[in-house]
Amino acid sequence: MIRVFQIQVQRVLKSEQINRNPSSFLQRLHKIQLLYFLLASVVLSGSIALSGCGGLTPNSASPGAGSLTASPTTVAFGSVTVGSPATSHISLVNSSSGPVVISQLTVSSKSFSYDGLGTLPFTLAANSTATLNVHFGPSTAGAASAELVIASISPGSTSTTVQMTGTGVATAPPAAGAGLTVSSRTVAFGSVAVGTPSIQPVTLTSSGTAAVIVSGGTLSGTGFTMSGVTFPLTLNAGQTATLNLQFDPAAAGAATGNLTLTSDAEASPSDIVQMTGTGVAAAPPAAGAGLTVSSSTVAFGSVAVGTPSTQSLTLTSSGTTALIVSGATLSGAGFTMSGATFPLTLNAGQTATLSLQFDPTATGAATGTLTISSDAPSNSTAIAALSGTGVPLAVDLSWTAPSDSTIAGFNIYRAAGSSSSYSRLNTSVSSPVSYTDSTVQAGITYEYYVTTVDSSGAESVPSNTASVVVP
């Protein structure tokens, strides 16, 4: 059937090549476009009947005119390093009862490109969606913009336009002494309920002896975005910046993406962070389902840098019917979660325990949020506020002073690792019977002893030793 129809279209074209009348040409061109639309209808819905070589006979139930929309209609790529293309995604939606034939895609700038639909024309079936990938690959530094026009030859459907913008940023040449450290090379968002974005922070540290220039950061992957910094970004030696990565799935299913950071770091001018996440469909409210969370706040208190602290949170199905917890997402630097896989079904009265961990990488206060999504009608979204303070690693020492009125104070000595050489920690005689050593490092064993010093400055023999392993 389709072969016969293609021959008809070829004949129209051939006769048009002979006829040079402009008015006739336009009329026949319209016929060709209409015939092409009918062919698409045959392939998709079978609502057109072919009879030998005699032409086309429509059935009584012809499909409705297609209508094409694009989402989003503006795409801002932000700052993109020259030579490192960035990718975004556009959803093409046909919400009508008839097919739409996308005949042509045009973009007004060579810095922007597209793919994902294959060979045109592309037929988008009724009430369906297709994904168009758009790219920004600047060849020079500076602002750029383009207009993407999506043309359709289907009756009732007009062209759709998408505006795209971006700024090309020149790659900085390697700088002597510059270094960049990324807090994590992998970011796993886990199961995230559709429509409930999850945010994970990534810390950038200037780890060299000179300032580092991060010229750009580009993202790939559906549902991933970033915020928190503006490129180019200059970090002096030892300075840090926090970049927030967000996963906001529009549909259920696994997703992967990459964040590519470009800098003038001498050893690694390009750093890649791999991202993963799974979109989970939000469960509709279920009559009788209920969710109770053991606490709406989780305070970790003071936690030594590099020494994780864990607390538990209990989820209880407190209704009369089974509860579906579709997802739980975390935000905040240093906070992670384990202990459950989503979606999670809890029968009435059943419980599940989430293990929350705070592992600070730097000193200072930190806050976060745990968002739990379920089909409980009264509280489909439960939130727990997280807090903690990163403090330096330290060893606290205390001892009992001898009952001697001539004692003026104490000296504290330390040896590190397998060394038998002890060094005095206090610069002057210490009178308290306690001391905090905040100059320790993780993974090292330390030996300590104390001596007494009398009013004349005479020092006693060492006390017994105390051994401490810093985790």
Side-chain angles (χ1 to χ4, degrees):
M1 293 169 63
I2 296 175
R3 185 179 299 113
V4 172
F5 179 64
Q6 288 174 334
I7 291 172
Q8 288 181 341
V9 173
Q10 290 168 1
R11 286 178 178 173
V12 174
L13 286 170
K14 185 175 181 180
S15 64
E16 190 56 62
Q17 292 169 355
I18 299 173
N19 191 328
R20 303 302 181 186
N21 186 296
S23 175
S24 174
F25 176 79
L26 292 175
Q27 293 173 359
R28 291 174 178 270
L29 178 60
H30 175 72
K31 291 180 180 179
I32 294 170
Q33 292 176 340
L34 179 58
L35 287 172
Y36 201 94
F37 168 66
L38 294 178
L39 172 60
S41 300
V42 172
V43 174
L44 291 170
S45 65
S47 59
I48 304 298
L50 296 178
S51 177
C53 296
L56 303 174
T57 304
N59 290 338
S60 58
S62 299
S67 178
L68 180 69
T69 58
S71 178
T73 55
T74 59
V75 177
F77 286 93
S79 297
V80 177
T81 304
V82 172
S84 300
T87 299
S88 188
H89 308 276
I90 298 172
S91 295
L92 303 180
V93 181
N94 176 12
S95 57
S96 69
S97 59
V100 168
V101 178
I102 299 172
S103 59
Q104 188 176 25
L105 296 170
T106 57
V107 64
S108 59
S109 171
K110 292 182 179 180
S111 296
F112 298 86
S113 59
Y114 58 84
D115 60 49
L117 294 186
T119 303
L120 297 179
F122 175 84
T123 301
L124 185 58
N127 297 309
S128 63
T129 302
T131 299
L132 178 67
N133 305 316
V134 289
H135 314 280
F136 176 45
S139 57
T140 58
S145 62
E147 187 176 75
L148 172 65
V149 179
I150 307 164
S152 167
I153 60 174
S154 305
S157 182
T158 59
S159 296
T160 302
T161 301
V162 176
Q163 303 293 335
M164 298 182 292
T165 60
T167 302
V169 179
T171 303
L180 178 66
T181 300
V182 182
S183 60
S184 178
R185 302 282 181 175
T186 58
V187 175
F189 288 91
S191 298
V192 178
V194 173
T196 306
S198 176
I199 297 175
Q200 296 270 13
V202 172
T203 302
L204 312 181
T205 303
S206 176
S207 53
T209 57
V212 65
I213 299 175
V214 185
S215 52
T218 58
L219 279 174
S220 66
T222 303
F224 298 99
T225 56
M226 67 177 171
S227 62
V229 298
T230 302
F231 300 106
L233 171 69
T234 300
L235 296 175
N236 294 322
Q239 192 176 1
T240 64
T242 299
L243 191 155
N244 295 315
L245 297 176
Q246 178 176 286
F247 178 47
D248 187 7
T256 60
N258 287 328
L259 165 65
T260 302
L261 297 166
T262 307
S263 71
D264 64 352
E266 195 171 18
S268 56
S270 180
D271 291 278
I272 296 177
V273 178
Q274 297 179 326
M275 301 173 293
T276 60
T278 302
V280 179
L291 171 65
T292 300
V293 182
S294 58
S295 178
S296 60
T297 60
V298 179
F300 288 88
S302 296
V303 178
V305 171
T307 307
S309 175
T310 301
Q311 294 209 33
S312 297
L313 198 67
T314 302
L315 310 182
T316 303
S317 176
S318 53
T320 56
T321 61
L323 170 77
I324 298 177
V325 183
S326 52
T329 60
L330 271 176
S331 67
F335 298 99
T336 56
M337 172 182 62
S338 62
T341 301
F342 301 99
L344 171 68
T345 300
L346 299 175
N347 293 322
Q350 192 175 0
T351 64
T353 300
L354 293 180
S355 295
L356 301 175
Q357 185 178 85
F358 177 47
D359 186 7
T361 58
T363 59
T367 59
T369 301
L370 170 65
T371 303
I372 304 167
S373 302
S374 72
D375 64 352
S378 60
N379 60 334
S380 59
T381 301
I383 295 176
L386 314 179
S387 64
T389 302
V391 297
L393 281 171
V395 174
D396 293 320
L397 303 170
S398 63
W399 56 90
T400 302
S403 56
D404 189 337
S405 60
T406 65
I407 294 177
F410 308 91
N411 286 330
I412 302 95
Y413 293 83
R414 184 188 74 183
S418 59
S419 173
S420 59
S421 175
Y422 284 81
S423 300
R424 195 172 81 175
L425 295 177
N426 53 314
T427 57
S428 60
V429 175
S430 175
S431 57
V433 290
S434 63
Y435 183 84
T436 298
D437 181 9
S438 57
T439 61
V440 296
Q441 297 181 13
I444 297 179
T445 300
Y446 295 92
E447 300 282 342
Y448 296 90
Y449 70 76
V450 177
T451 63
T452 61
V453 181
D454 64 18
S455 55
S456 65
E459 191 171 11
S460 72
V461 297
S463 67
N464 61 300
T465 59
S467 181
V468 177
V469 179
V470 179

